[in-house]
């Protein structure tokens, strides 16, 4: 989990949510909720990115859309070099 530029948008959005829920719960609880939401979203994005990279592997065939294995498409037998 490294800090990226788009995390600024996430932080601003969570800050606005924290400000919105402070009228219903005390500030320290809403700040804790904001921190938890930030880390939950970061973990979800990391796991999702990892699962997509595992699913794609070497790439996707442009003809049929199947996964490339050993630099060849198993359906088209077209070499991707």
């Amino acid at each position: 989990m490294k800090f990226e530029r788009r995390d600024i948008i996430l932080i601003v959005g969570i800050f606005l949510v924290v400000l919105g829920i402070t009228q219903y719960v005390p500030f320290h609880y809403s700040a804790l909720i904001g921190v938890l939401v930030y880390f939950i979203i970061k973990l979800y994005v990391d796991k999702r990115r990892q699962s997509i990279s595992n699913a794609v592997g070497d790439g996707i065939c442009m003809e049929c859309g199947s996964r490339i294995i050993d630099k060849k498409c198993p359906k088209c037998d077209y070499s991707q070099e």
Side-chain angles (χ1 to χ4, degrees):
M1 286 189 345
K2 65 179 188 175
F3 189 78
E4 298 174 3
R5 289 181 64 194
R6 66 176 177 230
D7 289 341
I8 295 170
I9 297 170
L10 177 63
I11 291 170
V12 169
I14 290 174
F15 178 73
L16 293 174
V17 169
V18 166
L19 286 178
I21 63 174
T22 53
Q23 56 186 324
Y24 303 111
V25 295
F27 180 74
H28 58 278
Y29 289 132
S30 61
L32 181 64
I33 290 169
V35 169
L36 289 175
V37 166
Y38 175 78
F39 284 111
I40 289 171
I41 289 173
K42 289 293 284 183
L43 286 173
Y44 175 75
V45 168
D46 188 42
K47 293 292 183 182
R48 182 74 175 155
R49 184 177 291 153
Q50 187 179 24
S51 71
I52 289 172
S53 69
N54 288 340
V56 171
D58 292 335
I60 298 174
C61 178
M62 296 304 285
E63 297 294 323
C64 65
S66 64
R67 181 179 170 190
I68 302 293
I69 301 172
D70 296 328
K71 298 184 181 180
K72 283 189 166 185
C73 176
K75 293 182 181 175
C76 303
D77 288 331
Y78 178 71
S79 179
Q80 300 286 334
E81 293 183 90

